[in-house]
Amino acid sequence: MDTRTLGTGGPEVSALGLGAMGMSDLYGPADEAESIATIHAAIDAGITLIDTGDFYGSGHNEMLIRDALSQRSRDDVVISVKFGSRRSPDGAFQPVAPDADPAAVKDRLAFTLRRLGTDHVDIYRPTRLNPNVPIEDTVGAIAEMVQAGYVRHIGLSEIGAAALRRAAAVHPISDLQIEYSLLSRGIETEILPTARELGIGVTAYGVLSRGLLSGHWTPGHQLTGGDFRGHVPRFQGENLATNLALVDALRKVAESIGATVAQVAIAWVASRGSDVVPLVGARRRDRLQESLAAADLALTPDQVAAIEAAVPIGAAAGDRYPAQQMAVLDSER
């Protein structure tokens, strides 16, 4: 698989990354053996970037990755970890600002290293901006961990252009992880140009809009317990009908290209620039194989134009998160 470099001084990673969240959390039950087999298949196919969070499954996701890597070389992968979200024993997310003060940075990193069974994290990033903790303090604490050898690179997640500038003034930032897809193009106005000005890469999550752009979603899709999409506006009522109509239009373009809806959606994100790395959230090997083919799909300018005509910018119905979560996203301000 081709590789891309995250930012001016960040790590070299595969052109597609694997997002592991769904293997432990938020999308309903997952099969652990199949999850590990999917991680192995991804690595064997050339994927080197694996993204997780210390709060995914309240630590389960990190331990799952540890178990998968026990049968592969740790040095062959770049592990990206988000930290900060708080959860209760029943798995509920706590409606409080994320842990992002300097003491929390070091404390949570210690548990992450133990769960992953490694002596370093390749990219460490706060999951959200804590409005009560200056981003300079958070980045400064991670920078101390870089100097100590426990972290290789510093990343950020879902922050706006102003905070991105402040963070980069403290320490080089490898990449900004943020939602970016045909249905979520808000970063193109200010955040993406700022990242490029500062030499910061983008790892794009939600490239299939949590399944909406997979080509497999149907109006009667039944969500299982624990699937947070049941609370996401884009999956509700008339919003869902509008969004699936966009998918139908995209399907016609995909068929003309000889690809699937998912492959075209992923390839479109990858086409945004060599500094953008799409994260695919496959939980099964069959879905992974479908996504992998997108890495070989080189879209022509005419094909990009047809894709964007099928799903025009701003055409998505409904926000990408429930209102309470949208309100705390620095990237949406």
Side-chain angles (χ1 to χ4, degrees), residues 33-323:
E34 178 63 22
S35 295
I36 290 176
T38 301
I39 294 172
H40 288 165
I43 295 172
D44 293 344
I47 285 182
T48 60
L49 175 63
I50 300 178
D51 180 74
T52 184
D54 67 0
F55 50 91
Y56 292 167
S58 299
H60 174 269
N61 205 237
E62 291 177 321
M63 293 187 287
L64 180 75
I65 292 171
R66 175 201 63 199
D67 292 346
L69 293 182
S70 69
Q71 302 171 52
R72 294 295 188 276
S73 172
R74 165 68 178 90
D75 294 335
D76 289 343
V77 296
V78 172
I79 301 177
S80 167
V81 179
K82 290 181 292 297
F83 70 91
S85 290
R86 302 181 187 180
R87 305 186 74 164
S88 61
D90 64 0
F93 283 87
Q94 298 299 294
V96 294
D99 287 335
D101 62 85
V105 166
K106 300 170 185 179
D107 178 68
R108 296 186 73 129
L109 177 60
F111 285 97
T112 280
L113 294 172
R114 177 61 63 90
R115 284 190 294 260
L116 284 171
T118 185
D119 63 356
H120 72 280
V121 169
D122 297 287
I123 309 173
Y124 201 52
R125 70 182 84 241
T127 184
R128 298 288 187 268
L129 183 71
N130 184 327
N132 302 313
V133 179
I135 189 65
E136 293 88 346
D137 292 356
T138 304
V139 171
I142 305 175
E144 292 180 20
M145 297 296 92
V146 172
Q147 189 168 12
Y150 296 117
V151 172
R152 297 288 188 265
H153 303 278
I154 300 177
L156 295 168
S157 177
E158 287 288 357
I159 70 168
L164 197 58
R165 290 186 185 280
R166 290 165 49 202
V170 176
H171 188 278
I173 305 298
S174 66
D175 65 304
L176 171 65
Q177 189 174 116
I178 195 165
E179 186 167 350
Y180 191 23
S181 74
L182 281 165
L183 295 180
S184 299
R185 296 179 61 178
I187 74 168
E188 294 176 346
T189 303
E190 186 177 11
I191 295 174
L192 184 56
T194 299
R196 286 176 168 159
E197 176 191 336
L198 298 172
I200 297 171
V202 169
T203 43
Y205 76 87
V207 294
L208 296 182
S209 295
R210 300 178 179 83
L212 274 177
L213 292 173
S214 68
H216 303 292
W217 202 274
T218 60
H221 188 98
Q222 296 296 313
L223 296 174
T224 59
D227 193 321
F228 94 111
R229 289 173 292 191
H231 305 286
V232 175
R234 287 183 179 173
F235 289 83
Q236 311 301 316
E238 293 184 4
N239 286 347
L240 178 61
T242 298
N243 293 329
L244 289 180
L246 295 173
V247 175
D248 287 339
L250 184 61
R251 194 186 312 276
K252 294 177 182 178
V253 178
E255 289 172 351
S256 72
I257 295 173
T260 69
V261 172
Q263 288 162 358
V264 166
I266 296 168
W268 179 86
V269 176
S271 75
R272 298 303 83 200
S274 60
D275 54 352
V276 178
V277 176
L279 298 173
V280 296
R283 301 193 293 169
R284 305 195 320 247
R285 283 169 286 181
D286 58 339
R287 295 294 170 82
L288 172 68
Q289 289 303 317
E290 180 182 11
S291 296
L292 286 171
D296 299 321
L297 186 58
L299 299 173
T300 67
D302 286 345
Q303 289 170 340
V304 169
I307 290 167
E308 293 179 351
V311 187
I313 187 169
D319 288 331
R320 58 193 180 99
Y321 282 108

